[in-house]
Amino acid sequence: MARTITESDRRERQNSSALDTMLLAPSDRVGLFIDGFHLHAACKALDIPIDFKRLLDLFRDRAHLVRALYYTIITDERDCVLRPLLDWLDYNGYTTVRKHAKADCELSRRTAKSSMMVEVAVDIMQLAQSLDHIVIISGAGEFRRLVEMVQINGKRVSVLSTVATRPPMVSDELRRQADQFVDLADLESDIRR
């Protein structure tokens, strides 16, 4: 006899998230590492205004969130635009890591971006021993080797970015290396403001 789909079943499906398929257990100690520039660019390309409280709650509700770090590059002109967001993040469960770059120098911005990637890598390596699952919101292929190293040490790694844009905003190498890839487009209903 075929099972009838009830209203409760429909609500449950509507309330499910792409993160429900992520390899997260309630007892998992999770670290969330966010490339702020990448997240902003991906959400802008996907036309998803992001709600950072809902993003944080996605992980808090599914596991033991040990730390959520948000990395960004600051220039004098961007400082005034980003300050309200960064202050809000600092007061609401995130740790912000800021690198300064000169606004008028492309080389300075590239150097700051490379330096920021080093900051992310160092923080992941430092915190990995106290984590079960590492979640990276970035598309940078330079993180592929880092992901491989923490996997060798028994950690699971998920990458959140998007392939829904043209071109995709995540490197194929990083996506392949991760234990799981979750497209930000699939999280729209969970993170939209």
Side-chain angles (χ1 to χ4, degrees):
M1 182 169 168
R3 181 172 178 263
T4 305
I5 297 175
T6 66
E7 188 61 33
S8 174
D9 293 334
R10 284 190 186 93
R11 278 195 304 273
E12 188 174 315
R13 284 185 185 159
Q14 287 174 339
N15 292 333
S16 70
S17 162
L19 277 187
D20 291 338
T21 62
M22 191 179 284
L23 310 170
L24 287 175
S27 62
D28 278 353
R29 297 167 301 162
V30 175
L32 178 60
F33 301 85
I34 303 168
D35 173 346
F37 182 78
H38 177 81
L39 179 60
H40 173 75
C43 287
K44 184 175 181 180
L46 294 169
D47 194 29
I48 301 172
I50 188 162
D51 184 326
F52 285 95
K53 181 180 181 330
R54 292 184 74 196
L55 176 65
L56 200 62
D57 288 345
L58 267 178
F59 293 95
R60 283 184 173 158
D61 293 347
R62 287 169 174 75
H64 173 71
L65 184 63
V66 174
R67 185 79 46 89
L69 294 113
Y70 181 93
Y71 300 84
T72 191
I73 298 169
I74 299 292
T75 60
D76 294 336
E77 63 195 33
R78 286 188 69 201
D79 187 34
C80 62
V81 174
L82 287 177
R83 183 168 304 281
L85 170 64
L86 297 176
D87 287 346
W88 187 92
L89 293 173
D90 281 333
Y91 286 113
N92 289 281
Y94 291 86
T95 300
T96 60
V97 181
R98 309 167 195 205
K99 279 286 182 185
H100 292 274
K102 295 178 182 164
D104 60 348
C105 179
E106 182 62 32
L107 180 61
S108 176
R109 281 194 290 268
R110 276 192 306 235
T111 302
K113 175 118 175 100
S114 295
S115 176
M116 183 60 71
M117 293 172 83
V118 171
E119 295 277 338
V120 173
V122 168
D123 287 347
I124 288 174
M125 293 303 288
Q126 183 178 14
L127 288 169
Q129 63 192 0
S130 62
L131 300 173
D132 301 307
H133 198 129
I134 295 164
V135 179
I136 302 171
I137 300 180
S138 182
E142 292 84 353
F143 288 131
R144 191 213 59 82
R145 179 74 171 133
L146 169 67
V147 169
E148 180 183 24
M149 292 310 299
V150 296
Q151 287 170 327
I152 287 170
N153 289 309
K155 309 305 175 183
R156 291 184 314 279
V157 180
S158 295
V159 170
L160 278 65
S161 185
T162 188
V163 293
T165 58
R166 295 292 169 244
M169 296 186 74
V170 61
S171 79
D172 194 47
E173 297 81 17
L174 179 61
R175 197 165 54 113
R176 288 174 192 263
Q177 186 66 51
D179 293 300
Q180 184 168 26
F181 172 76
V182 177
D183 200 304
L184 289 167
D186 295 335
L187 295 176
E188 180 175 4
S189 63
D190 297 305
I191 63 173
R192 179 177 278 281
R193 198 171 345 126

